[in-house]
Amino acid sequence: MKKISIKIVYKTLLVSTLLTTFSCKKVFDVKPQDQVDITNNYRNVYDANAAVIGIYGQFQTLADRYIILNELRADLMSPTANADQYLRQLNEHAETTDNPWADPRPFYKIILNCNDAMANFDKMVADGRMTSSDYQQRYSDVGAIRSWLYLQLGIQFGSVPYVTDPLTSIDDLKDASKFPKISFDQLLTNLIAFMGDGKRYLDVYSTSVSTTGATNTSLNTTVDGYATNLFFINKRCLLGDLYLWHGDYKLASAQYHYVCELGSLSTNGSWLYDQYLVQNGDGNNHVDIYYGNSTDERTLVDNNNGGWRAIFGGGVGTLTGQEWIWSIPFDKNFLPQDPFVNLFSNTGGSYLLTTSQLALDNWNSQTQQNGLPYDARKLISVRTINGQPVIMKQLYYNVDATSFLPTSVLQKQGRWLLYRGATNMLHFAEAACNDATLGTSGVKLAYALTNVGVTRVYDNTWPAASSLPTDRTNIEQTFLDAPYNLDGRNGETPYYRGLWYRQVGSRTRAYLQPLPAALASDKLGMETAIIDEDGLELAFEGQRWGDLMRVALRRKDPAFLADKVYNKLLRDGNGNAAAVRTKLMNTANWYMPFKL
């Protein structure tokens, strides 16, 4: 009898509660060998919901692996003196096949569970145990998680087996005659064929009730204070990233543009122009770098309810939900525990990883609008605690808001922060910059998205400062075809507010001086500026290795990646810096050894 191996130890509070909410039966009760007999499972939509949530519970166990592989192998994160040989191998791109972080099996374990669930969903809709609309949502969601996992496998390992059939064991994949490895390019083609075929449900979930009107069957709900709308992968962001990796820039931009305007669908009217649009605010109500007194750096707004820190430290119902598109909670009462405390904290954790000196130098090379010679995002991303630099982004949920010490060394509660508005906007800028059909218009748009906003760049006086007409009908908008048709009009007579009128880009939100205006017509320079801004804004969030690799591959310039890793190692005093650079000049060495 076939069994599904989603184990109960992988449940979070949200997972276990949702299992009870969605079905009166404990679908994943543990039997011998931690396996579940599926004979009586997959009976109805509630069991399907439980299967989806169970997969997400298992997915959470990859959180530390995702951050380690995508940050430590790049240029912004470094091992501490406490790190073991395996973390040091990743830092120096010297992974051995016994390195537990370089093991692809944890990814495939979840992929096989996805395949099993999707096969059962097929059977459910075929014999009427689930409606076609419920099927599309759940099948698409699990398929998107599988696609995300495969994208990560491609980024880290290059050529990998691509299997969509339900198998009983990962060991089955060792048969190369049945499951040969395919190239990263072919993998991207396959993933796009699945996610972009027009059959997938790509939108966020509604809260509609079932057709019987008896019970809410939606995956979008709130349980114990956790809003599940942020729990599920945003499939449009994923599809946009797949297109971006594949070089389909206009298709990628269409997905990013759609997500940018999700705020227009929000029931929160105050977020109509804010949500996912990387807007500027007054510091107390919005997620920007802001000073109570712009001439006094001591007045930086730095708390969990306002300023840039609110992106990472805000609790349920706060401004954090304005920025994050995909975020999964770790609860103190259920496994798995938040792994980031152990990785980053020097009080209550093992303090294995910290910022690289290069990352600090990058922030220190910026100038704020008030003349301060550093990027204030540094102060919030990394704090000195007990004399040591500590990466804080993933720790704010678990520490006192003032002392930054753990509220309890035994209770580890936090969030896996996966994808946010700034990520989507910067990827949109990268896609627009590289869309050859736009020419320099795409570079100018990328400048606006990253730097000072649509309204300012398209006001017809930029970059010179001059007065504007009260009638903004024919300015402050791109006048480009979709998906680049962005409206930032901010006029008084007639009164009009375009959806993008408060969008400013992550640099202005960070209170930095604008990039040189010449970059608005310099494709290569603007692309480099976008990747630099990625590092300043998104450091330690799991984006960095992919961002560097994608641009280096596009340019056919391995030095773009190799030099950044070299400079990290050099400034950290690592004697192997030059040898690592030489190794990374061969793109084949970007990928870890693949062994099942």
Side-chain angles (χ1 to χ4, degrees):
M1 182 176 296
K2 190 173 182 183
K3 299 178 180 180
I4 186 169
S5 58
I6 298 176
K7 298 183 180 181
I8 196 169
V9 296
Y10 292 131
K11 295 178 183 177
T12 62
L13 172 63
L14 178 60
V15 171
S16 60
T17 305
L18 284 176
L19 292 180
T20 303
T21 301
F22 288 137
S23 175
C24 61
K25 179 180 182 291
K26 292 183 179 179
V27 179
F28 294 115
D29 280 348
V30 176
K31 290 194 174 187
Q33 291 81 47
D34 288 336
Q35 291 183 320
V36 183
D37 190 333
I38 66 166
T39 304
N40 295 318
N41 292 342
Y42 296 107
R43 301 163 305 169
N44 51 43
V45 67
Y46 305 107
D47 289 346
N49 285 349
V52 174
I53 298 300
I55 286 171
Y56 274 90
Q58 191 179 33
F59 176 73
Q60 282 185 282
T61 65
L62 298 179
D64 52 354
R65 185 177 302 270
Y66 171 71
I67 296 296
I68 287 170
L69 294 181
N70 285 296
E71 296 292 342
L72 186 57
R73 301 183 73 222
D75 60 337
L76 306 179
M77 186 179 287
S78 297
T80 69
N82 299 337
D84 64 16
Q85 61 174 320
Y86 298 118
L87 292 174
R88 295 183 182 282
Q89 285 178 4
L90 293 171
N91 188 51
E92 299 178 9
H93 293 266
E95 304 89 357
T96 55
T97 55
D98 66 336
N99 189 314
W101 301 110
D103 184 1
R105 293 173 65 89
F107 292 94
Y108 276 105
K109 181 177 182 179
I110 305 171
I111 285 170
L112 294 189
N113 280 332
C114 290
N115 292 346
D116 189 272
M118 293 165 73
N120 279 285
F121 293 165
D122 285 337
K123 297 174 183 176
M124 290 178 71
V125 73
D127 60 18
R129 283 175 284 159
M130 183 162 55
T131 67
S132 59
S133 60
D134 285 340
Y135 165 82
Q136 284 294 342
Q137 291 185 8
R138 288 141 189 84
Y139 189 91
S140 298
D141 201 287
V142 174
I145 285 291
R146 184 182 70 185
S147 298
W148 186 94
L149 292 166
Y150 271 124
L151 176 60
Q152 286 301 310
L153 284 168
I155 291 170
Q156 304 301 337
F157 297 97
S159 299
V160 298
Y162 180 67
V163 56
T164 59
D165 298 327
L167 302 176
T168 58
S169 171
I170 293 176
D171 291 336
D172 295 342
L173 293 172
K174 294 180 180 179
D175 188 344
S177 65
K178 294 181 179 178
F179 305 105
K181 292 193 290 186
I182 62 174
S183 69
F184 188 20
D185 284 343
Q186 184 58 53
L187 178 65
L188 289 170
T189 299
N190 290 353
L191 298 178
I192 289 171
F194 175 81
M195 288 299 303
D197 68 353
K199 298 178 182 179
R200 305 295 153 240
Y201 184 90
L202 300 179
D203 293 323
V204 296
Y205 299 124
S206 70
T207 56
S208 61
V209 299
S210 66
T211 54
T212 64
T215 309
N216 189 342
T217 63
S218 175
L219 288 167
N220 185 9
T221 184
T222 300
V223 179
D224 286 355
Y226 294 106
T228 60
N229 63 308
L230 298 181
F231 187 87
F232 300 103
I233 187 171
N234 186 292
K235 292 175 280 295
R236 291 190 181 275
C237 290
L238 170 63
L239 184 55
D241 285 351
L242 292 174
Y243 283 136
L244 183 64
W245 274 97
H246 199 247
D248 302 320
Y249 301 118
K250 187 173 184 178
L251 293 173
S253 294
Q255 299 302 324
Y256 297 139
H257 183 178
Y258 186 96
V259 173
C260 283
E261 298 187 355
L262 279 175
S264 64
L265 307 177
S266 174
T267 57
N268 187 332
S270 66
W271 288 2
L272 173 63
Y273 304 107
D274 301 342
Q275 197 170 14
Y276 312 143
L277 282 172
V278 189
Q279 52 78 41
N280 210 0
D282 65 9
N284 294 312
N285 297 315
H286 299 292
V287 287
D288 58 343
I289 293 295
Y290 182 79
Y291 293 87
N293 179 350
S294 62
T295 63
D296 186 350
E297 63 183 317
R298 295 171 300 178
T299 65
L300 174 68
V301 175
D302 179 13
N303 59 69
N304 288 343
N305 298 310
W308 199 68
R309 200 220 295 184
I311 293 174
F312 309 99
V316 175
T318 67
L319 292 169
T320 299
Q322 182 178 309
E323 174 79 7
W324 286 100
I325 297 172
W326 189 18
S327 170
I328 303 178
F330 293 100
D331 191 88
K332 61 187 178 182
N333 296 316
F334 290 84
L335 295 174
Q337 286 187 327
D338 181 345
F340 303 122
V341 175
N342 187 59
L343 288 181
F344 301 130
S345 178
N346 62 357
T347 307
S350 297
Y351 189 55
L352 302 175
L353 302 171
T354 188
T355 180
S356 68
Q357 183 60 46
L358 179 62
L360 297 176
D361 292 345
N362 291 343
W363 279 308
N364 288 334
S365 69
Q366 306 298 309
T367 304
Q368 296 181 54
Q369 294 177 29
N370 59 5
L372 290 174
Y374 59 86
D375 186 334
R377 288 174 292 189
K378 172 191 70 172
L379 304 177
I380 297 168
S381 301
V382 180
R383 295 188 184 274
T384 300
I385 299 176
N386 296 328
Q388 297 174 310
V390 176
I391 292 172
M392 293 298 299
K393 282 184 174 180
Q394 291 90 351
L395 297 184
Y396 280 115
Y397 282 100
N398 194 61
V399 298
D400 178 83
T402 303
S403 70
F404 308 113
L405 298 177
T407 53
S408 170
V409 296
L410 298 178
Q411 295 181 339
K412 297 179 174 62
Q413 181 162 317
R415 283 181 177 269
W416 182 7
L417 303 171
L418 280 149
Y419 207 99
R420 58 188 176 100
T423 317
N424 186 73
M425 188 71 73
L426 287 165
H427 285 186
F428 189 4
E430 183 185 337
C433 187
N434 284 283
D435 188 344
T437 66
L438 291 177
T440 56
S441 294
V443 183
K444 180 179 179 180
L445 178 56
Y447 184 97
L449 296 175
T450 306
N451 191 33
V452 295
V454 169
T455 300
R456 181 174 174 185
V457 170
Y458 293 91
D459 68 8
N460 290 0
T461 68
W462 178 85
S466 63
S467 60
L468 294 173
T470 57
D471 186 349
R472 311 294 174 82
T473 303
N474 295 311
I475 62 173
E476 298 181 338
Q477 51 193 309
T478 63
F479 291 110
L480 297 172
D481 293 335
Y484 306 111
N485 52 328
L486 312 182
D487 184 354
R489 283 178 286 174
N490 182 19
E492 298 299 327
T493 307
Y495 181 89
Y496 189 81
R497 295 291 183 269
L499 190 62
W500 290 70
Y501 90 100
R502 283 162 62 171
Q503 181 267 334
V504 294
S506 56
R507 283 190 63 81
T508 297
R509 187 173 72 173
Y511 199 52
L512 296 180
Q513 292 185 359
L515 293 168
L519 286 177
S521 57
D522 177 0
K523 178 183 179 297
L524 199 64
M526 189 62 227
E527 182 183 61
T528 298
I530 292 167
I531 299 304
D532 289 345
E533 179 61 18
D534 284 341
L536 300 171
E537 173 73 19
L538 307 175
F540 320 132
E541 295 177 25
Q543 297 289 329
R544 190 59 174 171
W545 176 253
D547 286 343
L548 296 181
M549 192 172 82
R550 187 172 59 250
V551 174
L553 289 172
R554 180 186 299 134
R555 295 183 179 183
K556 297 180 173 58
D557 179 14
F560 180 83
L561 180 150
D563 285 346
K564 286 182 168 53
V565 175
Y566 165 76
N567 283 322
K568 175 185 80 167
L569 297 175
L570 185 67
R571 297 188 199 190
D572 284 350
N574 190 311
N576 293 325
V580 174
R581 184 190 185 280
T582 299
K583 182 176 183 178
L584 293 178
M585 288 299 292
N586 181 347
T587 59
N589 293 326
W590 295 358
Y591 305 106
M592 297 186 297
F594 183 89
K595 181 180 179 181
L596 287 171

